[in-house]
Amino acid sequence: MRRVDSVLWWTLVVAMVASLYMVFLYAPTERIMGPVQRIFYFHLALAWVAFVAFFGVFVGGIQYLRTRSTWWDELAAGSAEVGVWMNGLVIVTGSIWARPTWGVWWTWDPQVTATLIMQLMYMGYLLLRSAADDERRARFAAAFGVIAFLNVPIVFFSARLLRGISPVVFTRQGIGLEPEMLYTLLVCLAAFSLLYAVLLGVRMRIALLRAEVARMRAELAT
């Protein structure tokens, strides 16, 4: 396990360094937005990881309701924690991009608003979990996490269906990026996906250690 952890961490470091190099040195400067466009690579990668993490909450919630396995419950909790942090950074990086592009830090664009609602829903999920000290509340939290995932496709399709001002990169006509920009985006997506996997692995290991400590305390009490 230590060898696997070492490989994962070093792979993550290499992937992050590669993504930074490609974002700031390899990818060309966008002609209209200029250097501020470079934050787009991090912004989209963070959004992708947030979607993946919230899908993990969805799967973990369904499996917990089906099996009552605490492993799936912890998977859902860990994915939610990572997803909330990543989605929070999506909002921050979006605001940094919006200020020089739209002239404001915040606008009630449909996709931006849906992203904020999604953030509040999963923060509510974590608050609900913090009070879930019995199986009934845990089931309720799992059900809430499953329902909350319905907002993810709303965020994705809002810019396409509601015609807001948020840019749409992936369209039916293809990807509106130059090859160097596309390669940079793909490397960032891979790097942040690996970051999610590493963080979730750490979170699951902490959950296992907590369970082991609880078991040992119960044995000592008897």
Side-chain angles (χ1 to χ4, degrees):
M1 289 299 298
R2 290 182 179 178
R3 183 173 299 178
V4 172
D5 287 344
S6 178
V7 171
L8 284 176
W9 279 103
W10 278 111
T11 303
L12 176 61
V13 170
V14 171
M16 283 298 175
V17 171
S19 65
L20 290 172
Y21 167 79
M22 296 186 74
V23 167
F24 293 106
L25 298 177
Y26 175 76
T29 301
E30 210 276 334
R31 291 187 297 272
I32 298 176
M33 289 181 285
V36 72
Q37 181 270 343
R38 297 182 186 277
I39 202 171
F40 149 82
Y41 303 106
F42 301 118
H43 178 73
L44 191 56
L46 288 165
W48 159 255
V49 173
F51 286 170
V52 172
F54 294 148
F55 180 71
V57 180
F58 175 76
V59 173
I62 290 178
Q63 287 296 98
Y64 175 74
L65 293 173
R66 189 177 67 87
T67 65
R68 298 294 189 269
S69 170
T70 57
W71 190 89
W72 287 109
D73 185 49
E74 292 293 346
L75 176 68
S79 287
E81 292 171 3
V82 176
V84 165
W85 277 105
M86 295 298 178
N87 198 59
L89 291 175
V90 170
I91 296 173
V92 171
T93 54
S95 296
I96 295 174
W97 176 84
R99 182 63 179 87
T101 305
W102 297 339
V104 293
W105 291 103
W106 181 265
T107 179
W108 295 104
D109 171 79
Q111 189 171 53
V112 176
T113 304
T115 302
L116 176 62
I117 294 173
M118 183 171 66
Q119 179 74 357
L120 295 175
M121 290 183 70
Y122 280 97
M123 290 175 66
Y125 168 82
L126 292 177
L127 289 174
L128 183 61
R129 283 194 56 88
S130 66
D133 52 2
D134 57 41
E135 185 178 351
R136 183 179 178 183
R137 291 181 180 178
R139 291 200 306 269
F140 186 73
F144 183 84
V146 172
I147 295 172
F149 184 74
L150 297 176
N151 197 44
V152 172
I154 293 176
V155 173
F156 181 79
F157 289 108
S158 56
R160 294 160 174 79
L161 300 179
L162 300 180
R163 300 182 180 275
I165 58 177
S166 294
V168 178
V169 178
F170 301 98
T171 64
R172 294 180 179 177
Q173 290 73 33
I175 301 175
L177 296 174
E178 296 181 11
E180 294 85 355
M181 292 181 174
L182 177 59
Y183 301 150
T184 301
L185 176 60
L186 292 177
V187 170
C188 287
L189 290 175
F192 279 85
S193 297
L194 183 59
L195 176 62
Y196 163 71
V198 169
L199 292 177
L200 182 60
V202 172
R203 173 61 176 77
M204 292 298 291
R205 183 168 299 178
I206 292 174
L208 291 175
L209 291 174
R210 286 176 178 172
E212 182 65 17
V213 170
R215 184 188 64 81
M216 295 173 64
R217 287 179 175 174
E219 289 181 353
L220 290 175
T222 57

